[in-house]
Amino acid sequence: MRPLGIIFRGGGIIATCLGGDAPTYEVGLSASEGTPRMRRSLIRAFPVLIVCAALAPTAMVRAQSDDSRPVIIQGGTVWTGTDRGTIESGTVALRKGKIWRVGPAGRSGPPRPGMQTIDADGKYVTPGLIDAWTMLGLDLGGAPGAGASLSAADAINGFATHVFEDARRSGVTSLCIEPPAGGGIAGTAAMVRLANLNDLRSTTTESISLVARLGLGVRGPIGRLGEIKALREMFEQAAAYREQWDEYNEKLEEYEKKLKDGETVKLKKDDEKKEEKTETKKPDAPRRRSRRGRRPRPRPSNFSTMTDEEVLAWLRDSHVPGDDDVLEEEAHDHDDHPTAPDAEEPKKDDAKKADGKDGDKKSDELTKPERPAYDANSEIVVKALKRQISVRFEAHRPGDIAMALKIVNDYHLDALIVGATGARFTDKLIADAEVPVLFGQLTGAGGFDRTHAAQFDAQTPAALRASGVLDLVIASGRMGRDSGVQFLTQNAAIAVGHGLDEDAALRAITIEAAKVCGVGETLGSIEKGKLADVVIWSGHPLAPDTVVERVFVGGVEVYRRAGN
C-alpha cells in the first residue's frame, strides 16, 4: 500500500489514492492560469483526498487480516507429539497465533466465514521441527576459553536470511544456536524462532543454556584432566561468588532494617524526653515579696559593739522565712553544695557517663556493607548452579561423558550430554543419572572430533533407549554456519533405520528437543494453547521422497512450496 497524495504533472494536479481501491481523479490546471484558479482546483481535489484517506486504512487492514486470519487444516494425518498419538484424517485449527483446536475432521464443524481452509488429505501434519544443536547463521570465529558471558545471540548474522529460509523449507521453525567452537566453557546458547527473518532479535531468547565442551581436540589423559580441573575451578569460583553476594544481601537487608528501626527509636526517645520534661517540671516557687514597702527590722541598742557571731545569732532569732534573701541563699548554699572532696566524685561519674555515651555511639554506628565486585562470567555460572538454566556438556569419549556426569552430580546441575559419540559404553551411567542425551550427525561422515569417530555407532540412540534413557534428542550438530539443518529429518530416519522407534525419532526432533531448550510448554507438539508452529508434509516426514509443502509460524504462513 503506497501513500496517498497530490501529484503535480505538467500544468495539472492529480488527486490520487495510490495502491488502493479508489480511482485516480485528475483536476485540470493550466500553467498559464492564475493563483485563484489553482486555489479552486485544490478545493475541488480536497474531498477526493478525504475519500482516499478513508479507503486506504481499510485496504491495509484487509491486507493484514489475510495473513492473520484463522486457518483450518483438515483431512491430513496429524502427528500430535502427545499422548493422543496420531490422528487419522484430523483437523488442526490455528487462530491468533496459537493452536485453537485439534481433533478428528468430523468434530471441527464447518469453517466459519473468513477462515482459510487447507485440504491436507493424504498429507502429514506435524509440529514445527526444532534443531536443538546447530551453529547456523553464526558470523564470528571461535576462541577457546572465551568465557561464560559469551552469548551466541551476539554472533548471529541477521543479514544471512537465506540460511534461515532454507531451514524453514526443511520444516524447521526453531533453532538452538550454540556459540562458536571452543573448549571448556564456550558461552551460552540462544533460542531463535524463525518467525520474522527481518527482525530475528524479536524472537531470540538469549542465554537459555550454558555450553561446556570436554575433550574436544585435547590429546592425552593429562590434557583432559587439566581441562576438567579448570572447569571445576570455574564452578567453585562461581559458588564462592554466590556466597559473597548472598552474604552481602543479608547484611544489606539487616543494615536497612536497623537504619529504619534506628530512626523510629530516635523519634520515640525524643517523645519520651518531652513527656519526662512535662512530668518532672517543678511547680513554680512562691514569689518573694518585694523589698519595696518592707518595714526596717529594729536593731538592738548595742548593735554597733556586737561581734559577727552575735549579729548572726540575732538575725537567726528574728528571721522570717522569705524575708531575707541573703540568708535564704546562704542556707541553700550550705544544704545543696557538698564539700570539696565530695564534689570531685560527681565530676568523675560525669566523665564516665560521657565516655560511655561516646562508646555507645561508636558501637551503634551503622556501616553499609561493601558491595562485591561484579563478574559477568560468574553470574552466568551461578544461574547454572541455581538450576535457572541448563548446562550442555558436549562430550564424546566414554571417559569424558563419565566425568561430565560426575560434575553434574557434584553440583546438582540441570544438564544434558551433547554429542555422545561413545555413549553406548556409558548407557548405564546415563540411565542412572536421568540426563537427556542430544545426538548430532548420525552419518559418521563428520561433525565431531576424528580422534573418537571410531566409537561412533548409529545404533547408539536405540541402545540407550533400550537401557532406559528415555529423553533422546536428535539434531543436525555443529556441521557448519550455512548448512546442516536440512539433515535433521535424515538423522532421525537413520536412527529409525538402526532400531529406534519411529515415534521416538519424531519426538526427538520436536517435543523432546523443545524440552531440553526450555520451551516445552509452548512448542514441540500439536495441542490446544501452544504456539501455532505447524508443518504440512507431502508424505511421512522421515520418508526420503517427502517434501515440505507449507510452514506456519505463529499461525502465519511463512513458506509455501511452488505450485502448491
Side-chain angles (χ1 to χ4, degrees):
M1 178 64 63
R2 290 177 291 172
L4 56 87
I6 300 176
I7 299 176
F8 290 86
R9 188 172 64 186
I13 297 177
I14 299 177
T16 180
C17 179
L18 298 178
D21 297 331
T24 298
Y25 295 93
E26 182 173 352
V27 181
L29 180 62
S30 175
S32 61
E33 297 185 34
T35 304
R37 181 65 180 273
M38 181 181 292
R39 292 176 180 173
R40 288 194 297 270
S41 299
L42 290 174
I43 292 174
R44 291 171 59 188
F46 184 74
V48 180
L49 295 176
I50 296 298
V51 174
C52 292
L55 292 178
T58 304
M60 293 178 66
V61 171
R62 181 167 57 251
Q64 293 175 358
S65 63
D66 290 342
D67 294 334
S68 59
R69 60 179 177 170
V71 178
I72 293 182
I73 306 170
Q74 58 184 10
T77 301
V78 181
W79 185 85
T80 62
T82 65
D83 295 336
R84 300 181 66 176
T86 303
I87 302 175
E88 300 292 341
S89 186
T91 297
V92 180
L94 315 179
R95 182 182 181 186
K96 295 182 179 180
K98 294 187 177 182
I99 298 174
W100 177 33
R101 184 179 300 172
V102 183
R107 298 183 182 181
S108 61
R112 298 180 182 179
M115 287 187 174
Q116 179 185 2
T117 303
I118 299 175
D119 184 10
D121 186 23
K123 300 175 174 53
Y124 271 75
V125 182
T126 69
L129 305 186
I130 299 174
D131 192 348
W133 181 26
T134 182
M135 295 179 65
L136 192 71
L138 289 184
D139 194 32
L140 298 178
S149 59
L150 175 65
S151 175
D154 298 330
I156 297 175
N157 183 7
F159 297 99
T161 57
H162 63 284
V163 299
F164 300 113
E165 289 174 354
D166 291 341
R168 295 199 299 200
R169 292 190 189 99
S170 302
V172 178
T173 58
S174 296
L175 304 169
C176 182
I177 302 178
E178 288 194 359
I185 296 292
T188 57
M191 189 70 183
V192 181
R193 192 159 165 252
L194 303 179
N196 183 6
L197 300 187
N198 294 322
D199 187 15
L200 283 177
R201 280 286 183 179
S202 62
T203 55
T204 298
T205 304
E206 299 184 15
S207 302
I208 65 165
S209 183
L210 179 65
V211 179
R213 299 184 176 121
L214 302 179
L216 269 66
V218 178
R219 302 284 182 175
I222 302 301
R224 293 200 298 274
L225 289 176
E227 189 177 54
I228 293 172
K229 179 183 177 182
L231 186 62
R232 282 185 172 275
E233 288 177 352
M234 178 165 286
F235 279 106
E236 292 293 340
Q237 180 181 354
Y241 178 81
R242 175 185 178 182
E243 291 179 0
Q244 290 179 1
W245 274 94
D246 290 343
E247 183 179 357
Y248 166 75
N249 291 328
E250 291 178 1
K251 289 183 178 180
L252 182 63
E253 183 179 357
E254 184 180 358
Y255 165 79
E256 293 176 348
K257 183 178 179 182
K258 285 184 177 181
L259 189 64
K260 183 178 179 180
D261 294 343
E263 292 177 356
T264 306
V265 171
K266 183 178 180 182
L267 294 174
K268 185 176 180 181
K269 287 183 177 180
D270 292 342
D271 295 339
E272 290 177 355
K273 288 180 180 179
K274 290 180 181 178
E275 293 178 0
E276 289 178 0
K277 287 182 179 180
T278 304
E279 293 176 358
T280 59
K281 187 176 180 180
K282 296 181 180 179
D284 295 338
R287 296 182 62 184
R288 295 178 179 177
R289 289 177 294 178
S290 175
R291 294 178 182 270
R292 187 176 298 176
R294 185 185 299 173
R295 290 183 301 173
R297 185 180 300 174
R299 296 180 180 180
S301 58
N302 60 342
F303 182 79
S304 59
T305 60
M306 293 176 62
T307 63
D308 293 340
E309 288 78 4
E310 292 175 345
V311 171
L312 290 174
W314 169 71
L315 289 173
R316 291 190 188 95
D317 293 341
S318 60
H319 171 66
V320 178
D323 223 18
D324 196 324
D325 296 338
V326 177
L327 192 59
E328 288 287 332
E329 292 175 0
E330 185 179 354
H332 283 297
D333 290 341
H334 282 286
D335 294 338
D336 295 340
H337 292 283
T339 59
D342 296 335
E344 294 178 358
E345 295 180 1
K347 290 182 180 178
K348 292 182 180 179
D349 294 339
D350 293 341
K352 290 180 181 179
K353 289 180 180 178
D355 294 340
K357 288 181 180 178
D358 293 340
D360 293 340
K361 285 183 180 179
K362 291 181 180 178
S363 61
D364 292 340
E365 286 180 357
L366 295 178
T367 303
K368 189 173 182 179
E370 185 178 355
R371 182 186 179 94
Y374 178 82
D375 187 352
N377 291 331
S378 295
E379 285 286 338
I380 298 296
V381 182
V382 165
K383 288 184 178 180
L385 292 174
K386 292 182 177 180
R387 299 176 66 91
Q388 295 176 354
I389 60 175
S390 61
V391 182
R392 302 162 70 96
F393 286 97
E394 182 178 352
H396 296 271
R397 298 179 180 87
D400 295 335
I401 295 174
M403 291 304 300
L405 294 176
K406 183 71 166 56
I407 294 175
V408 171
N409 181 67
D410 291 344
Y411 295 99
H412 307 285
L413 303 174
D414 179 15
L416 64 151
I417 303 298
V418 179
T421 307
R424 59 193 176 98
F425 299 104
T426 58
D427 54 348
K428 297 300 182 182
L429 292 176
I430 297 174
D432 294 340
E434 298 181 351
V435 173
V437 178
L438 194 161
F439 294 97
Q441 188 179 7
L442 299 181
T443 59
F448 39 68
D449 196 334
R450 297 294 183 183
T451 58
H452 51 265
Q455 297 174 348
F456 167 77
D457 190 344
Q459 296 181 355
T460 301
L464 290 183
R465 185 155 183 96
S467 300
V469 181
L470 302 180
D471 300 328
L472 298 177
V473 182
I474 297 176
S476 62
R478 295 188 292 106
M479 294 186 60
R481 300 167 190 175
D482 298 327
S483 63
V485 176
Q486 65 270 26
F487 299 111
L488 185 60
T489 53
Q490 177 183 340
N491 287 340
I494 291 173
V496 172
H498 286 78
L500 185 63
D501 180 73
E502 185 179 284
D503 188 73
L506 286 174
R507 289 179 63 88
I509 57 177
T510 54
I511 183 61
E512 297 299 336
K515 289 179 180 179
V516 298
C517 294
V519 292
E521 297 295 327
T522 56
L523 295 174
S525 61
I526 298 180
E527 50 186 319
K528 184 176 180 180
K530 284 197 171 184
L531 296 177
D533 292 4
V534 178
V535 181
I536 301 177
W537 306 77
S538 61
H540 194 285
L542 303 184
D545 58 343
T546 296
V547 294
V548 175
E549 293 194 349
R550 294 193 179 193
V551 178
F552 294 85
V553 179
V556 178
E557 186 174 24
V558 296
Y559 169 73
R560 182 187 300 185
R561 187 185 175 210
N564 191 27

